[in-house]
Amino acid sequence: MPCECCKITNDQFGKDTAEADLKDYRRKGPADHTRLILAAVRSLGLKDASLLDVGGGIGAIYHELLSDSVSHATHVDASSAYLAAAQTETERRGNAGRVEFVHADFTDVAETLAPADVVTLDRVVCCYPDFQRLLKAAAHQSRRALVMAYPRDNRVSRAVVAVMDWFLKVSRNPFRVFVHPVAAMDSLLNAEGLHRVSLRRLFVWEVALYQRA
């Protein structure tokens, strides 16, 4: 279901970037922030769980979790190039029948998807101007837990993002990066019945695990 968001994302996250990320993953494994997401999901002690990976990129989260915690995954992404790279790796690992791929803006199709035990958003919130709509949709699809990585809400992150957005603007690229208020995201998820049970921080990123009461 291609959309304007998909066009912008395809332009920003194209084939060359996806292939480079897949090559790095095969050589070095998941990135540090992704490792924190994996640790958070595994801390739940789930077996044969379902996973909804929003904006999953090359699919590193479910590539790893299909070996121990997850039996089936759905990957929704606005980038067709990343979906193709993720599908290639899924097939290479012999998991083709265990992953569903959906090309769309997640907020446009969320209500058509089956709920999942766990929803993951690895550096996705920072790509959405309307984090409320994104997180509400993600929360509605989560039966048990939600894990997300996002920029820390501090002066360093805001300065870095401001510079990035300035370069995007002068190059006439419509894509933007956002540092959303963590307190507001936390309050929204609380209102949706999800409560933060762990928080891990890196220099720029932090990873929060939310569970249903």
Side-chain angles (χ1 to χ4, degrees), residues 21-50:
D21 282 356
L22 180 57
K23 183 178 180 179
D24 282 347
Y25 170 64
R26 287 175 174 173
R27 183 164 55 92
K28 299 184 294 187
D32 289 344
H33 48 83
T34 306
R35 291 181 189 277
L36 291 181
I37 290 178
L38 294 170
V41 175
R42 285 172 171 146
S43 73
L44 300 170
L46 301 176
K47 297 295 181 183
D48 297 323
S50 56

mmCIF file of all heavy atoms in Angstrom, residues 21-50:
data_model
loop_
_atom_site.group_PDB
_atom_site.id
_atom_site.type_symbol
_atom_site.label_atom_id
_atom_site.label_comp_id
_atom_site.label_asym_id
_atom_site.label_seq_id
_atom_site.Cartn_x
_atom_site.Cartn_y
_atom_site.Cartn_z
ATOM 1 N N ASP A 21 23.561 -1.836 5.263
ATOM 2 C CA ASP A 21 23.164 -2.215 6.621
ATOM 3 C C ASP A 21 23.100 -3.734 6.782
ATOM 4 O O ASP A 21 23.484 -4.279 7.831
ATOM 5 C CB ASP A 21 21.803 -1.605 6.968
ATOM 6 C CG ASP A 21 21.900 -0.136 7.319
ATOM 7 O OD1 ASP A 21 23.033 0.397 7.365
ATOM 8 O OD2 ASP A 21 20.849 0.495 7.540
ATOM 9 N N LEU A 22 22.608 -4.405 5.756
ATOM 10 C CA LEU A 22 22.547 -5.864 5.814
ATOM 11 C C LEU A 22 23.949 -6.462 5.854
ATOM 12 O O LEU A 22 24.219 -7.405 6.620
ATOM 13 C CB LEU A 22 21.775 -6.412 4.618
ATOM 14 C CG LEU A 22 21.621 -7.937 4.542
ATOM 15 C CD1 LEU A 22 20.958 -8.476 5.806
ATOM 16 C CD2 LEU A 22 20.819 -8.330 3.303
ATOM 17 N N LYS A 23 24.858 -5.889 5.089
ATOM 18 C CA LYS A 23 26.246 -6.367 5.090
ATOM 19 C C LYS A 23 26.861 -6.184 6.469
ATOM 20 O O LYS A 23 27.548 -7.079 6.989
ATOM 21 C CB LYS A 23 27.047 -5.607 4.029
ATOM 22 C CG LYS A 23 28.488 -6.074 3.900
ATOM 23 C CD LYS A 23 29.206 -5.312 2.796
ATOM 24 C CE LYS A 23 30.655 -5.773 2.658
ATOM 25 N NZ LYS A 23 31.353 -5.039 1.564
ATOM 26 N N ASP A 24 26.629 -5.020 7.089
ATOM 27 C CA ASP A 24 27.157 -4.765 8.439
ATOM 28 C C ASP A 24 26.574 -5.743 9.447
ATOM 29 O O ASP A 24 27.270 -6.234 10.338
ATOM 30 C CB ASP A 24 26.835 -3.331 8.872
ATOM 31 C CG ASP A 24 27.761 -2.300 8.253
ATOM 32 O OD1 ASP A 24 28.797 -2.706 7.681
ATOM 33 O OD2 ASP A 24 27.464 -1.102 8.338
ATOM 34 N N TYR A 25 25.281 -6.012 9.320
ATOM 35 C CA TYR A 25 24.625 -6.935 10.252
ATOM 36 C C TYR A 25 25.209 -8.333 10.137
ATOM 37 O O TYR A 25 25.472 -8.999 11.152
ATOM 38 C CB TYR A 25 23.123 -6.951 9.976
ATOM 39 C CG TYR A 25 22.388 -8.040 10.710
ATOM 40 C CD1 TYR A 25 22.326 -8.050 12.104
ATOM 41 C CD2 TYR A 25 21.757 -9.073 10.010
ATOM 42 C CE1 TYR A 25 21.656 -9.064 12.782
ATOM 43 C CE2 TYR A 25 21.084 -10.086 10.678
ATOM 44 C CZ TYR A 25 21.033 -10.078 12.064
ATOM 45 O OH TYR A 25 20.380 -11.082 12.726
ATOM 46 N N ARG A 26 25.427 -8.788 8.916
ATOM 47 C CA ARG A 26 25.985 -10.125 8.730
ATOM 48 C C ARG A 26 27.414 -10.202 9.271
ATOM 49 O O ARG A 26 27.837 -11.261 9.752
ATOM 50 C CB ARG A 26 25.973 -10.491 7.248
ATOM 51 C CG ARG A 26 24.572 -10.793 6.710
ATOM 52 C CD ARG A 26 24.593 -11.025 5.208
ATOM 53 N NE ARG A 26 23.280 -11.445 4.708
ATOM 54 C CZ ARG A 26 22.996 -11.577 3.415
ATOM 55 N NH1 ARG A 26 23.950 -11.326 2.495
ATOM 56 N NH2 ARG A 26 21.782 -11.962 3.042
ATOM 57 N N ARG A 27 28.118 -9.091 9.232
ATOM 58 C CA ARG A 27 29.516 -9.086 9.677
ATOM 59 C C ARG A 27 29.655 -8.868 11.180
ATOM 60 O O ARG A 27 30.471 -9.509 11.837
ATOM 61 C CB ARG A 27 30.273 -7.987 8.916
ATOM 62 C CG ARG A 27 31.772 -7.916 9.219
ATOM 63 C CD ARG A 27 32.496 -7.085 8.168
ATOM 64 N NE ARG A 27 31.895 -5.773 8.047
ATOM 65 C CZ ARG A 27 32.308 -4.700 8.735
ATOM 66 N NH1 ARG A 27 33.310 -4.811 9.586
ATOM 67 N NH2 ARG A 27 31.740 -3.529 8.552
ATOM 68 N N LYS A 28 28.818 -7.966 11.751
ATOM 69 C CA LYS A 28 29.007 -7.569 13.147
ATOM 70 C C LYS A 28 27.838 -7.904 14.070
ATOM 71 O O LYS A 28 27.929 -7.733 15.288
ATOM 72 C CB LYS A 28 29.273 -6.060 13.212
ATOM 73 C CG LYS A 28 30.530 -5.624 12.469
ATOM 74 C CD LYS A 28 30.805 -4.157 12.645
ATOM 75 C CE LYS A 28 29.756 -3.276 12.021
ATOM 76 N NZ LYS A 28 30.108 -1.833 12.062
ATOM 77 N N GLY A 29 26.715 -8.338 13.502
ATOM 78 C CA GLY A 29 25.552 -8.601 14.328
ATOM 79 C C GLY A 29 24.741 -7.330 14.569
ATOM 80 O O GLY A 29 24.995 -6.289 13.957
ATOM 81 N N PRO A 30 23.752 -7.379 15.451
ATOM 82 C CA PRO A 30 22.879 -6.222 15.681
ATOM 83 C C PRO A 30 23.634 -5.023 16.254
ATOM 84 O O PRO A 30 24.634 -5.185 16.963
ATOM 85 C CB PRO A 30 21.856 -6.757 16.701
ATOM 86 C CG PRO A 30 21.934 -8.234 16.600
ATOM 87 C CD PRO A 30 23.349 -8.557 16.231
ATOM 88 N N ALA A 31 23.127 -3.828 15.957
ATOM 89 C CA ALA A 31 23.684 -2.605 16.523
ATOM 90 C C ALA A 31 23.417 -2.569 18.027
ATOM 91 O O ALA A 31 22.564 -3.302 18.547
ATOM 92 C CB ALA A 31 23.063 -1.391 15.847
ATOM 93 N N ASP A 32 24.128 -1.695 18.746
ATOM 94 C CA ASP A 32 24.029 -1.657 20.203
ATOM 95 C C ASP A 32 22.601 -1.403 20.688
ATOM 96 O O ASP A 32 22.119 -2.064 21.621
ATOM 97 C CB ASP A 32 24.958 -0.579 20.766
ATOM 98 C CG ASP A 32 26.425 -0.964 20.651
ATOM 99 O OD1 ASP A 32 26.720 -2.153 20.432
ATOM 100 O OD2 ASP A 32 27.287 -0.072 20.778
ATOM 101 N N HIS A 33 21.893 -0.451 20.059
ATOM 102 C CA HIS A 33 20.529 -0.161 20.497
ATOM 103 C C HIS A 33 19.594 -1.330 20.202
ATOM 104 O O HIS A 33 18.669 -1.608 20.969
ATOM 105 C CB HIS A 33 20.008 1.121 19.841
ATOM 106 C CG HIS A 33 20.229 1.185 18.367
ATOM 107 N ND1 HIS A 33 19.389 0.592 17.454
ATOM 108 C CD2 HIS A 33 21.228 1.761 17.651
ATOM 109 C CE1 HIS A 33 19.853 0.801 16.232
ATOM 110 N NE2 HIS A 33 20.967 1.506 16.315
ATOM 111 N N THR A 34 19.866 -2.046 19.109
ATOM 112 C CA THR A 34 19.065 -3.230 18.789
ATOM 113 C C THR A 34 19.331 -4.345 19.784
ATOM 114 O O THR A 34 18.407 -5.079 20.179
ATOM 115 C CB THR A 34 19.356 -3.703 17.358
ATOM 116 O OG1 THR A 34 19.164 -2.614 16.445
ATOM 117 C CG2 THR A 34 18.427 -4.848 16.964
ATOM 118 N N ARG A 35 20.571 -4.474 20.226
ATOM 119 C CA ARG A 35 20.891 -5.479 21.244
ATOM 120 C C ARG A 35 20.118 -5.214 22.536
ATOM 121 O O ARG A 35 19.683 -6.150 23.220
ATOM 122 C CB ARG A 35 22.398 -5.493 21.527
ATOM 123 C CG ARG A 35 23.237 -6.029 20.380
ATOM 124 C CD ARG A 35 24.712 -6.045 20.733
ATOM 125 N NE ARG A 35 25.547 -6.360 19.586
ATOM 126 C CZ ARG A 35 25.809 -7.576 19.156
ATOM 127 N NH1 ARG A 35 25.300 -8.628 19.795
ATOM 128 N NH2 ARG A 35 26.577 -7.768 18.101
ATOM 129 N N LEU A 36 19.951 -3.953 22.874
ATOM 130 C CA LEU A 36 19.185 -3.622 24.081
ATOM 131 C C LEU A 36 17.716 -3.997 23.916
ATOM 132 O O LEU A 36 17.068 -4.454 24.867
ATOM 133 C CB LEU A 36 19.319 -2.133 24.398
ATOM 134 C CG LEU A 36 20.698 -1.656 24.868
ATOM 135 C CD1 LEU A 36 20.667 -0.165 25.177
ATOM 136 C CD2 LEU A 36 21.163 -2.445 26.095
ATOM 137 N N ILE A 37 17.178 -3.803 22.713
ATOM 138 C CA ILE A 37 15.797 -4.223 22.446
ATOM 139 C C ILE A 37 15.679 -5.737 22.580
ATOM 140 O O ILE A 37 14.736 -6.256 23.193
ATOM 141 C CB ILE A 37 15.342 -3.762 21.047
ATOM 142 C CG1 ILE A 37 15.164 -2.240 21.024
ATOM 143 C CG2 ILE A 37 14.041 -4.460 20.635
ATOM 144 C CD1 ILE A 37 14.763 -1.682 19.670
ATOM 145 N N LEU A 38 16.624 -6.467 22.013
ATOM 146 C CA LEU A 38 16.604 -7.925 22.105
ATOM 147 C C LEU A 38 16.665 -8.390 23.558
ATOM 148 O O LEU A 38 15.928 -9.298 23.971
ATOM 149 C CB LEU A 38 17.779 -8.512 21.318
ATOM 150 C CG LEU A 38 17.737 -8.304 19.803
ATOM 151 C CD1 LEU A 38 19.065 -8.713 19.172
ATOM 152 C CD2 LEU A 38 16.598 -9.085 19.173
ATOM 153 N N ALA A 39 17.520 -7.751 24.344
ATOM 154 C CA ALA A 39 17.629 -8.120 25.751
ATOM 155 C C ALA A 39 16.320 -7.843 26.490
ATOM 156 O O ALA A 39 15.897 -8.623 27.349
ATOM 157 C CB ALA A 39 18.785 -7.351 26.403
ATOM 158 N N ALA A 40 15.674 -6.725 26.149
ATOM 159 C CA ALA A 40 14.404 -6.382 26.790
ATOM 160 C C ALA A 40 13.327 -7.412 26.468
ATOM 161 O O ALA A 40 12.591 -7.864 27.356
ATOM 162 C CB ALA A 40 13.959 -4.987 26.348
ATOM 163 N N VAL A 41 13.226 -7.805 25.200
ATOM 164 C CA VAL A 41 12.224 -8.803 24.816
ATOM 165 C C VAL A 41 12.512 -10.132 25.497
ATOM 166 O O VAL A 41 11.604 -10.786 26.048
ATOM 167 C CB VAL A 41 12.184 -8.980 23.278
ATOM 168 C CG1 VAL A 41 11.235 -10.114 22.907
ATOM 169 C CG2 VAL A 41 11.752 -7.687 22.597
ATOM 170 N N ARG A 42 13.775 -10.539 25.509
ATOM 171 C CA ARG A 42 14.120 -11.825 26.115
ATOM 172 C C ARG A 42 13.900 -11.823 27.624
ATOM 173 O O ARG A 42 13.671 -12.877 28.217
ATOM 174 C CB ARG A 42 15.561 -12.174 25.764
ATOM 175 C CG ARG A 42 15.698 -12.635 24.311
ATOM 176 C CD ARG A 42 17.121 -12.811 23.882
ATOM 177 N NE ARG A 42 17.184 -13.444 22.556
ATOM 178 C CZ ARG A 42 18.118 -13.180 21.655
ATOM 179 N NH1 ARG A 42 19.073 -12.293 21.912
ATOM 180 N NH2 ARG A 42 18.098 -13.786 20.478
ATOM 181 N N SER A 43 13.960 -10.645 28.232
ATOM 182 C CA SER A 43 13.734 -10.582 29.678
ATOM 183 C C SER A 43 12.302 -10.947 30.045
ATOM 184 O O SER A 43 12.013 -11.271 31.207
ATOM 185 C CB SER A 43 14.050 -9.173 30.198
ATOM 186 O OG SER A 43 13.043 -8.237 29.822
ATOM 187 N N LEU A 44 11.399 -10.930 29.065
ATOM 188 C CA LEU A 44 10.006 -11.290 29.308
ATOM 189 C C LEU A 44 9.813 -12.794 29.453
ATOM 190 O O LEU A 44 8.771 -13.251 29.925
ATOM 191 C CB LEU A 44 9.127 -10.776 28.159
ATOM 192 C CG LEU A 44 9.129 -9.255 27.940
ATOM 193 C CD1 LEU A 44 8.426 -8.912 26.630
ATOM 194 C CD2 LEU A 44 8.479 -8.538 29.108
ATOM 195 N N GLY A 45 10.795 -13.567 29.007
ATOM 196 C CA GLY A 45 10.725 -15.014 29.119
ATOM 197 C C GLY A 45 9.677 -15.666 28.237
ATOM 198 O O GLY A 45 9.155 -16.738 28.570
ATOM 199 N N LEU A 46 9.380 -15.061 27.099
ATOM 200 C CA LEU A 46 8.337 -15.578 26.215
ATOM 201 C C LEU A 46 8.848 -16.726 25.352
ATOM 202 O O LEU A 46 10.028 -16.784 24.998
ATOM 203 C CB LEU A 46 7.816 -14.464 25.315
ATOM 204 C CG LEU A 46 7.219 -13.239 26.003
ATOM 205 C CD1 LEU A 46 6.839 -12.190 24.966
ATOM 206 C CD2 LEU A 46 6.014 -13.623 26.850
ATOM 207 N N LYS A 47 7.936 -17.612 24.990
ATOM 208 C CA LYS A 47 8.217 -18.683 24.044
ATOM 209 C C LYS A 47 7.086 -18.721 23.018
ATOM 210 O O LYS A 47 5.923 -18.550 23.368
ATOM 211 C CB LYS A 47 8.309 -20.044 24.746
ATOM 212 C CG LYS A 47 9.440 -20.143 25.750
ATOM 213 C CD LYS A 47 10.800 -20.053 25.084
ATOM 214 C CE LYS A 47 11.920 -20.192 26.110
ATOM 215 N NZ LYS A 47 13.271 -20.039 25.494
ATOM 216 N N ASP A 48 7.444 -18.917 21.759
ATOM 217 C CA ASP A 48 6.454 -18.998 20.679
ATOM 218 C C ASP A 48 5.570 -17.756 20.625
ATOM 219 O O ASP A 48 4.362 -17.832 20.352
ATOM 220 C CB ASP A 48 5.580 -20.250 20.833
ATOM 221 C CG ASP A 48 6.390 -21.526 20.721
ATOM 222 O OD1 ASP A 48 7.327 -21.546 19.899
ATOM 223 O OD2 ASP A 48 6.093 -22.483 21.450
ATOM 224 N N ALA A 49 6.133 -16.607 20.892
ATOM 225 C CA ALA A 49 5.379 -15.353 20.875
ATOM 226 C C ALA A 49 5.248 -14.837 19.449
ATOM 227 O O ALA A 49 6.000 -15.223 18.543
ATOM 228 C CB ALA A 49 6.070 -14.305 21.743
ATOM 229 N N SER A 50 4.286 -13.944 19.260
ATOM 230 C CA SER A 50 4.155 -13.239 17.983
ATOM 231 C C SER A 50 4.763 -11.851 18.127
ATOM 232 O O SER A 50 4.685 -11.232 19.193
ATOM 233 C CB SER A 50 2.687 -13.130 17.581
ATOM 234 O OG SER A 50 1.919 -12.504 18.602
#
